Amino acid sequence: MTERCLIAALYGSLALCALRAPAQAPGYDQPYRPQVHFSPRQHWTNDPNGLVYFDHEYHLFFQYNPFGDEWGHMSWGHAVSPDLLHWRELPVAIPEENGVMIFTGSVVVDHANTSGLCSEGQSCLIAIYTGASKTPEGGRQTQNIAYSRDDGRTWTKYEKNPVLDLQLADFRDPSVQWDADARRWVMAVSLPKEHRVSFYASPDLKQWRHLSDFGPEGDTAGDWECPDLLRVPAWQGHESLWALKVGLNPGAPQGGSGEQYFLGSFDGARFVASKDRGSHGWTNYGKDDYCAISFNGLPADQPPVLMGWMSNWQYAAKLPTSPWRGQMSLPRRVSFLRDGAGLALRQEPVIDPLHEQSSALSGTAASALLAGNGLAAVAPYELDLDFGHTSEEVFGIRLYSDAQHWTEVGFDTKHREFYIDRSNSGIRISPDFPGRTVAPLAEGRPYDLRLIVDRSSIEAYAQEDTIAMTDLIFPPSTNDRIRLFVSPAQPAKISGRLWKLKSIWEKGPSAH
């Protein structure tokens, strides 16, 4: 035991010491270990928290159990990156302490020291999070703050926490941002059982005044969680809209947990959903993307960037991975599209820096997709295909890991559906795991497809990135055979490219 830990033990804080002590880092090459998605070295993770860009560095905080691979002892894990892809894990940032777990929240850059918690003349990071504690009545959730004066490396909890307390058991997941026009902080926070998002304002992150409520609206089949309010620019345009993203658990259309969005307007106090076609939808139509939040602190000329937890509460505790359990989605740049089919949220994955070798899929290579053996690929890889405006009824690809196991990704134009079918993909970890996830196809948008295939997941983007679908898979091999299927006849034209992707861990855990 180190001298620091011995002193901590004398004062009854050995658990805190254990959180801060560096753990021996295992490798990043276990079966199912993602190679282009962030996962912690070990133990359990769920929601991303406090995504922020500060001093040329991206910060990912995340729900984390420092003591095991099941949910519990919720604290904030921490990793940093120069490019949103290559992550270096740091010690636990904000630990569970005195019976208060650290639930989901956000981090902001307090440039003007409105909080009074920064060093004089310096910006600092302020975390706003839900503190969850047990009470004789069952439980209590409050909003709290902590501050860091050293680029997020160490954190101090505000001595007068909580800063917002409604005396409720379910009141969580604050999303905070700076309103430059009103010169105040704005918080969106969830009342899960009431299917409402409440908006609050503060001059200093300590005193909060209620502004308005949004909801119930849209889908209310489960708890509303992880709200996020973001200003979204037009894709290839100059206008902007506001998007309010809200998690739903359980009760999502694909089963278990999922996330809906509303496009509309926000006047600094009240969000109003648009009535235009397409203004309400789902950020992800797969089973495995939940509680995605956006990065604070990005330059004003950049679009928002979302990142989510790649799992589902139906089976998250059963994932067959070790010594870690849980991973994050790819970051996605967000915009919106307005066309003849209406409004839609676009999500473009950040993946290009990992492109390595590639081969064009045209002529002989395209024909090989239809041949018996198909094309060979080893995860991780990206497959981009453009089917044009085909008249075929059903078409897509199958990713075979062996003769008995495959995942099917396709378009069904007759039923107006895009889908992933993982019924035969590999290990069935739960009765809720096998199945087919679907998204509605929009009239007039092209049948394009982008797949990012990792060792234990598929992220699919279709119809100009207006459909996102993320599904975990646990195949017996990372060696795939890609085969095209069409019905009733071969499409007149297909083009695309197959990319080999570099591992984000390629330089070893000491570097990343």
Side-chain angles (χ1 to χ4, degrees):
M1 182 178 293
T2 65
E3 180 181 4
R4 181 171 179 267
C5 289
L6 180 59
I7 294 172
L10 292 174
Y11 285 91
S13 300
L14 188 56
L16 177 60
C17 176
L19 297 187
R20 297 291 187 181
Q24 183 177 0
Y28 286 78
D29 198 31
Q30 302 91 347
Y32 307 127
R33 170 73 79 173
Q35 296 299 296
V36 298
H37 298 84
F38 172 80
S39 58
R41 286 188 294 264
Q42 57 186 346
H43 302 323
W44 168 279
T45 187
N46 54 285
D47 308 352
N49 299 154
L51 304 183
V52 68
Y53 180 69
F54 180 61
D55 197 17
H56 307 290
E57 192 172 54
Y58 296 94
H59 293 259
L60 163 63
F61 300 90
F62 48 93
Q63 291 286 277
Y64 186 62
N65 180 357
F67 303 112
D69 62 0
E70 296 183 352
W71 186 94
H73 301 289
M74 284 294 98
S75 305
W76 274 21
H78 189 195
V80 293
S81 171
D83 61 2
L84 289 168
L85 291 168
H86 297 86
W87 295 98
R88 177 167 58 93
E89 192 171 349
L90 299 176
V92 168
I94 307 178
E96 172 197 33
E97 192 175 13
N98 299 324
V100 179
M101 289 197 285
I102 314 301
F103 277 14
T104 296
S106 54
V107 170
V108 299
V109 183
D110 190 359
H111 288 292
N113 194 16
T114 63
S115 65
L117 298 173
C118 306
S119 299
E120 185 175 354
Q122 299 292 320
S123 301
C124 70
L125 296 176
I126 308 291
I128 309 94
Y129 63 89
T130 297
S133 57
K134 294 181 178 179
T135 67
E137 295 76 27
R140 180 94 151 267
Q141 295 181 354
T142 62
Q143 312 321 314
N144 304 263
I145 62 175
Y147 59 94
S148 173
R149 298 170 178 167
D150 58 359
D151 298 332
R153 268 50 179 185
T154 61
W155 291 83
T156 302
K157 294 169 184 172
Y158 180 50
E159 61 182 7
K160 294 182 181 179
N161 279 331
V163 296
L164 184 56
D165 183 2
L166 300 187
Q167 310 282 314
L168 293 174
D170 292 286
F171 175 49
R172 57 182 175 268
D173 308 337
S175 173
V176 177
Q177 60 185 279
W178 176 251
D179 183 340
D181 294 332
R183 299 197 57 79
R184 65 185 183 183
W185 301 100
V186 174
M187 174 194 295
V189 62
S190 181
L191 294 165
K193 304 297 183 184
E194 301 175 25
H195 308 115
R196 286 193 288 136
V197 174
S198 288
F199 293 96
Y200 288 82
S202 172
D204 58 6
L205 297 165
K206 300 172 182 175
Q207 305 170 73
W208 293 92
R209 178 174 61 86
H210 182 254
L211 296 173
S212 66
D213 288 331
F214 174 80
E217 196 162 331
D219 200 313
T220 58
D223 285 4
W224 277 22
E225 300 182 307
C226 303
D228 195 20
L229 178 70
L230 50 159
R231 190 162 197 156
V232 180
W235 181 52
Q236 298 179 337
H238 300 288
E239 62 177 319
S240 64
L241 289 173
W242 287 88
L244 179 61
K245 181 211 65 69
V246 185
L248 184 75
N249 178 56
Q254 61 272 30
S257 41
E259 292 197 300
Q260 60 189 320
Y261 68 82
F262 303 89
L263 294 174
S265 61
F266 182 70
D267 63 4
R270 184 179 300 275
F271 177 83
V272 177
S274 170
K275 302 303 181 184
D276 291 348
R277 184 174 43 151
S279 60
H280 174 238
W282 295 85
T283 60
N284 199 288
Y285 287 88
K287 292 273 284 191
D288 298 304
D289 189 271
Y290 191 55
C291 277
I293 63 172
S294 58
F295 279 83
N296 272 320
L298 295 178
D301 60 348
Q302 292 190 16
V305 175
L306 281 178
M307 179 182 285
W309 173 46
M310 194 186 290
S311 196
N312 191 303
W313 282 115
Q314 287 182 325
Y315 43 73
K318 300 177 182 178
L319 301 186
T321 60
S322 181
W324 85 101
R325 185 171 280 142
Q327 58 183 288
M328 300 299 161
S329 74
L330 286 172
R332 292 101 66 181
R333 294 188 176 96
V334 181
S335 58
F336 79 90
L337 180 148
R338 189 194 300 271
D339 61 10
L343 293 172
L345 200 67
R346 286 189 76 254
Q347 298 177 80
E348 182 181 358
V350 178
I351 193 67
D352 288 3
L354 299 182
H355 284 171
E356 200 168 31
Q357 301 168 348
S358 74
S359 57
L361 301 180
S362 59
T364 303
S367 299
L369 283 171
L370 281 166
N373 290 331
L375 287 179
V378 179
Y381 61 88
E382 177 182 343
L383 177 64
D384 299 345
L385 292 174
D386 188 350
F387 296 93
H389 292 269
T390 181
S391 60
E392 305 304 321
E393 289 186 358
V394 181
F395 52 92
I397 61 165
R398 281 186 173 182
L399 310 177
Y400 284 87
S401 52
D402 62 27
Q404 290 77 40
H405 298 96
W406 68 86
T407 303
E408 184 170 299
V409 185
F411 296 85
D412 183 340
T413 61
K414 181 177 180 180
H415 297 97
R416 305 304 305 159
E417 290 179 343
F418 173 75
Y419 67 91
I420 295 178
D421 190 336
R422 66 178 181 190
S423 301
N424 300 290
S425 63
I427 297 176
R428 301 187 177 200
I429 60 176
S430 157
D432 296 309
F433 188 79
R436 187 174 183 267
T437 55
V438 300
L441 288 172
E443 291 284 354
R445 291 179 190 153
Y447 299 122
D448 57 1
L449 173 63
R450 181 192 324 214
L451 290 181
I452 292 94
V453 181
D454 209 338
R455 290 184 178 180
S456 55
S457 67
I458 292 179
E459 289 198 59
Y461 301 85
Q463 292 209 301
E464 297 180 318
D465 297 329
T466 59
I467 296 173
M469 188 176 290
T470 300
D471 284 313
L472 292 172
I473 56 172
F474 297 100
S477 169
T478 58
N479 299 314
D480 285 344
R481 283 284 172 179
I482 306 170
R483 300 179 191 172
L484 179 72
F485 66 88
V486 291
S487 176
Q490 181 176 351
K493 183 179 181 181
I494 179 175
S495 61
R497 185 167 290 274
L498 178 66
W499 297 90
K500 176 180 173 58
L501 298 177
K502 293 178 285 188
S503 170
I504 62 173
W505 315 118
E506 63 183 355
K507 295 182 181 179
S510 61
H512 295 305

